[in-house]
Amino acid sequence: MKATILLGTLKKEGLSNTEVLSDFLQGFLEKQNINTTIVKLVEHSIWPGTYSDMGEGDEWPAILKQLLDSDIIIFATPIWWNNQSSEIQRVIERLDELHDEIMAGKPARLKGKVGGIVITGDSDGAQHIIANVSNFYNAIGVVFPPFSTLSVLWEKQAKGKNTTRDELMEKYKKDYADTAEKMVKQLIKYSQVH
């Protein structure tokens, strides 16, 4: 089985809470022999638009191919102003052409893929993001199982805090290992249904 985590951090450099949480979840996926790749979106040239290929220099088509080759797709995002990051919003926009195909009566290219959501933040907004992303998954044919979210809202993740990677991992291992394990089990279980 293959999983792709689309990492929506806005940080090209420096410590990203969402990246560390994605690494944490990747460990649980790989324990179950799921070949997992994290795509750090901010490191790629993903053009604005609503088509699968926006022309020369656009790196989205290669990322889309990776999603099409995956069994599990996970959106990982920080909370910014009660919403998913602009990087994850761009992914949603770039997948719009797949939704257009469904509306035109074509088969859903992501049908049967299983989706999960990873969220970090220092304010409310996780439920809003889960609602947005699960609605989008539903619209493009991605199965969103129950208990397939991992959200960490911790004051030490707040903007400007100098929490270390080790401190983050320690927190995640102590308080979120059971949640991550349950999430992975659900993703596998619902993936095997299709």
Side-chain angles (χ1 to χ4, degrees), residues 9 23 28 51 55 57 66 74 103 117 136 165 168 184 188:
T9 180
D23 291 344
F28 285 87
Y51 295 99
Q66 193 168 333
I74 296 167
M103 298 304 287
I117 306 169
F136 179 70
R165 179 182 173 84
L168 288 169
V184 169
I188 293 168

Side-chain angles (χ1 to χ4, degrees), residues 40-73:
K40 192 173 182 179
L41 298 165
V42 77
E43 291 178 344
H44 295 272
S45 177
I46 302 170
W47 292 12
T50 58
Y51 295 99
S52 298
D53 190 341
M54 297 297 295
E56 192 176 336
D58 179 21
E59 293 180 40
W60 176 251
I63 296 169
L64 176 58
K65 183 182 183 317
Q66 193 168 333
L67 295 182
L68 294 170
D69 291 341
S70 295
D71 304 289
I72 296 168
I73 298 167

Side-chain angles (χ1 to χ4, degrees), residues 79-147:
I79 298 170
W80 288 116
W81 290 94
N82 205 43
N83 251 314
Q84 62 268 13
S85 74
S86 55
E87 293 293 322
I88 291 296
Q89 185 60 32
R90 179 160 293 176
V91 165
I92 290 169
E93 291 160 2
R94 292 303 302 273
L95 286 167
D96 188 62
E97 186 174 1
L98 274 65
H99 182 253
D100 291 344
E101 291 170 3
I102 295 166
M103 298 304 287
K106 295 179 182 172
R109 287 202 267 161
L110 294 175
K111 184 179 179 185
K113 311 279 182 207
V114 178
I117 306 169
V118 168
I119 301 171
T120 60
D122 66 325
S123 59
D124 199 10
Q127 290 180 352
H128 179 72
I129 291 169
I130 292 166
N132 279 348
V133 174
S134 62
N135 176 61
F136 179 70
Y137 280 160
N138 181 63
I140 60 171
V142 174
V143 175
F144 182 58
F147 311 115

